[in-house]
Amino acid sequence: MIKIIYLVPVLLLFIAVSGNAGPARLTAATESELREQLGDEIETALQERFLRYSSDELDGIVLIEATVNKEGKIVFKGLNTENDNLRENAYGMLNSLNLWTYPDFAETIYRYKVTYTD
């Protein structure tokens, strides 16, 4: 009986945590709202260094191009910068986000210019 009492709270905690483990969905109603929300996500993601990359030369400007596929997944199609270290770092960070939105915005391209200083 005591094992059941301890098991119930553990199962409830597991269910609550697993419910929050899914992909992040951006809930924009318009393209301009999605552009702003996606820009905020990019800014937040690039504030920290990607763990697998340890170069000190990550300063520069990076041009980021993203689109929404027909299922609603936000895909980062292109990153352009003169700094290869910065490109690899930004690509790793952005692809780890797993962002989704409504499929209504499919095939729309969003471009961002980010000045990255480490």
Side-chain angles (χ1 to χ4, degrees):
M1 184 68 172
I2 293 177
K3 290 181 182 180
I4 293 174
I5 293 173
Y6 288 118
L7 185 61
V8 170
V10 171
L11 288 175
L12 290 175
L13 179 65
F14 177 72
I15 291 170
V17 170
S18 66
N20 293 329
R25 180 173 294 274
L26 302 181
T27 58
T30 64
E31 285 185 23
S32 61
E33 286 179 13
L34 180 59
R35 180 180 310 281
E36 185 177 324
Q37 288 179 10
L38 184 55
D40 291 343
E41 291 289 332
I42 290 170
E43 181 181 345
T44 302
L46 294 181
Q47 286 179 357
E48 293 191 24
R49 184 183 289 248
F50 193 52
L51 292 177
R52 72 178 177 92
Y53 202 75
S54 62
S55 173
D56 290 332
E57 301 173 17
L58 295 178
D59 293 338
I61 295 174
V62 61
L63 302 174
I64 301 168
E65 189 172 279
T67 190
V68 179
N69 68 15
K70 57 186 168 185
E71 288 84 27
K73 179 163 177 50
I74 297 173
V75 180
F76 294 96
K77 293 176 62 174
L79 283 97
N80 189 9
T81 182
E82 294 177 3
N83 185 340
D84 290 335
N85 296 335
L86 176 58
R87 181 182 304 113
E88 290 178 24
N89 184 68
Y91 184 76
M93 289 298 291
L94 295 176
N95 281 325
S96 69
L97 291 178
N98 193 21
L99 297 174
W100 292 75
T101 190
Y102 300 110
D104 302 344
F105 302 114
E107 307 304 322
T108 305
I109 296 175
Y110 301 95
R111 291 185 179 98
Y112 301 91
K113 181 179 180 180
V114 177
T115 302
Y116 191 90
T117 55
D118 192 25

